[in-house]
């Protein structure tokens, strides 16, 4: 990196460090967020010709866009279709790739010239939302570490969580050779029960489903120490087996003795550099009403858009989620998803993916982006 890139990264890191304890609902930060978002948009407009032409098709440019809300969000599918990077991809420190669950040959790629911003964006919010009342906790991880899957943003996330906040007893129970070591996790949980020390379980959502199936078959259940908690991410959709969120949290209580208020779901995407969290633990620790809504750190914002027009819907109405993430400085500061949700005064509620043709506006945006490519 050099020149404008270095200055932009310094500016973003300064914002993250200054507001690491704040969240996206703090309206007084909007002027600063707006200025930095527009600066990043200008950098991406000038640095990535694919994105520039897409914006031009939508009649948007740094000359006409004055609010972060008006920055055109790029459909997340375009990370599979084209290179979304301002810096040379061959110089990237890391390349995070999507799972390719629908098409193994076409995986989304997110290029990171430096992981300094990504790491800075991950560490403070994890503490704020997952461990607000503790400096460390024994962490047991059900999913691969980054040495097993270096192209997985989740694997890096889990590794950083253990590095910064795990005790020396923390461990990963997934290896390249053996896969998920369920017997080893059972043994570790029994030791935690005996010690009376709380633990934090972390992993992809469906890893828990498989482990709970194992426990059910073996007649196992655990009474984990007080203040233990469960972290899951990835959701339950797109799997051959259908499990509801309510069923999963009921199983967490039955098999781990952990109540919903100490369970937290993280919403993350390979295409984003920041994560969003349930407010369960953070609000429980404060002693007030436990909020189930999700929220992001101060350097993120959310818009809920009409699935047909991609215009903002009235507050509280359901629509497509578009995320604005200042840590996404090299790719796209605004990313359009196919996730449905709505906003409340406490954050937002995630409802799940759209079906078929429900997201007509998203399909149009994708067509425009692909048309831009073929017209070059």
């Amino acid at each position: 990196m050099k020149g404008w890139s270095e200055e932009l990264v310094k500016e973003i890191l300064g914002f993250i460090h200054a507001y690491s304890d704040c969240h996206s609902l703090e309206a007084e930060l909007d002027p600063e967020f707006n200025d930095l978002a527009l600066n990043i948009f200008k950098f991406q407009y000038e640095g990535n010709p694919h994105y520039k032409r897409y914006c031009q098709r939508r009649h948007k440019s740094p000359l006409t866009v004055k609010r972060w809300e008006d920055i055109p969000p790029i459909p997340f599918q375009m990370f599979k279709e084209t290179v979304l990077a301002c810096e040379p991809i061959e110089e990237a420190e890391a390349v995070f790739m999507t799972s390719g669950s629908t098409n193994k040959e076409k995986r989304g790629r997110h290029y990171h010239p430096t992981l300094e911003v990504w790491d800075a964006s991950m560490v403070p919010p994890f503490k704020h939302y997952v461990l607000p009342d503790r400096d460390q906790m024994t962490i047991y991880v059900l999913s691969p570490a980054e040495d097993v899957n270096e192209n997985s943003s989740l694997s890096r996330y889990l590794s950083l969580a253990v590095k910064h906040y795990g005790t020396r007893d923390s461990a990963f129970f997934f290896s390249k050779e053996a896969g998920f070591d369920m017997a080893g996790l059972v043994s570790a949980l029994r030791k935690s029960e005996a010690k009376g020390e709380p633990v934090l379980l972390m992993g992809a959502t469906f890893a828990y489903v498989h482990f709970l199936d194992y426990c059910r078959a073996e007649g196992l259940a655990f009474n984990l120490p007080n203040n233990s908690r469960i972290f899951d991410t990835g959701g339950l959709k797109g799997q051959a087996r259908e499990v509801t969120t309510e069923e999963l949290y009921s199983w967490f209580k039955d098999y781990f003795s952990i109540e919903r208020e100490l369970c937290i779901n993280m919403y993350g995407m390979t295409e984003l550099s920041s994560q969003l969290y349930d407010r369960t633990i953070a609000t429980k620790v404060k002693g007030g009403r436990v909020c189930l809504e999700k929220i992001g750190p101060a350097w993120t914002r959310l818009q809920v858009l009409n699935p047909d027009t991609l215009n903002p819907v009235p507050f509280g109405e359901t629509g497509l989620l578009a995320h604005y993430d200042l840590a996404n400085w090299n790719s796209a500061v605004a990313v359009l998803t196919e996730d449905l949700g709505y906003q409340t005064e406490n954050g937002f509620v995630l409802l799940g993916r759209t079906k078929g043709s429900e997201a007509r506006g998203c399909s149009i945006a994708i067509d425009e982006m692909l048309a831009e490519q073929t017209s070059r």
Side-chain angles (χ1 to χ4, degrees), residues 37-239:
L38 294 180
N39 197 17
I40 297 171
F41 172 57
K42 182 179 180 182
F43 172 78
Q44 293 170 348
Y45 184 90
E46 297 182 2
N48 189 328
H50 304 306
Y51 183 54
K52 180 177 182 177
R53 284 188 283 266
Y54 171 73
C55 292
Q56 289 173 335
R57 283 180 173 269
R58 304 188 74 80
H59 307 291
K60 302 288 187 180
S61 77
L63 292 176
T64 61
V65 173
K66 304 302 179 185
R67 307 183 312 149
W68 67 263
E69 296 97 322
D70 296 327
I71 297 173
I74 197 83
F76 78 97
Q77 294 95 328
M78 296 316 302
F79 283 81
K80 299 178 182 179
E81 302 291 343
T82 191
V83 174
L84 291 174
C86 297
E87 293 291 308
I89 61 175
E90 63 272 11
E91 298 176 10
E93 181 180 348
V95 182
F96 294 144
M97 301 170 65
T98 58
S99 62
S101 55
T102 56
N103 185 347
K104 294 293 184 183
E105 300 303 315
K106 187 174 283 189
R107 300 173 65 183
R109 286 170 168 78
H110 197 174
Y111 298 91
H112 296 271
T114 172
L115 284 170
E116 188 176 9
V117 175
W118 198 96
D119 291 354
S121 178
M122 176 271 164
V123 175
F126 180 87
K127 174 72 171 67
H128 187 77
Y129 294 111
V130 183
L131 297 176
D133 53 337
R134 307 179 67 88
D135 292 327
Q136 282 189 318
M137 182 175 277
T138 297
I139 302 174
Y140 294 152
V141 185
L142 288 65
S143 298
E146 63 178 336
D147 61 343
V148 176
N149 191 352
E150 65 179 6
N151 294 122
S152 166
S153 58
L154 175 59
S155 292
R156 182 165 185 84
Y157 180 99
L158 297 169
S159 296
L160 283 179
V162 173
K163 175 183 176 181
H164 287 276
Y165 299 113
T167 67
R168 66 175 63 186
D169 293 327
S170 299
F172 284 81
F173 293 91
F174 194 105
S175 67
K176 188 176 295 186
E177 299 77 19
F180 188 178
D181 181 11
M182 298 190 190
L185 178 58
V186 168
S187 177
L189 291 175
R190 291 301 186 208
K191 290 178 182 178
S192 296
E193 284 180 317
K195 289 182 180 179
E197 296 178 359
V199 297
L200 167 63
L201 294 176
M202 295 185 69
T205 309
F206 240 80
Y208 289 99
V209 175
H210 294 305
F211 182 65
L212 290 166
D213 284 345
Y214 174 83
C215 292
R216 196 174 293 113
E218 297 293 326
L220 301 171
F222 306 90
N223 185 20
L224 294 182
N226 185 47
N227 213 27
S228 293
R229 52 201 71 178
I230 292 178
F231 170 109
D232 79 288
T233 185
L236 294 160
K237 299 297 182 183
Q239 302 287 339

Side-chain angles (χ1 to χ4, degrees), residues 4 8 11-12 15 19 27-43 62 65-69 71 298 301 326 333:
W4 194 1
L8 189 61
E11 194 174 357
I12 296 167
F15 189 99
Y19 301 115
E28 65 271 17
L29 299 181
D30 276 352
E32 290 183 66
F33 180 93
N34 189 72
D35 290 346
L36 186 47
L38 294 180
N39 197 17
I40 297 171
F41 172 57
K42 182 179 180 182
F43 172 78
V65 173
K66 304 302 179 185
R67 307 183 312 149
W68 67 263
E69 296 97 322
I71 297 173
R301 291 293 186 278
L326 300 185
V333 70

Side-chain angles (χ1 to χ4, degrees), residues 23 193 229 299 309-310 319 356:
H23 55 64
E193 284 180 317
R229 52 201 71 178
W299 47 95
T309 66
L310 298 186

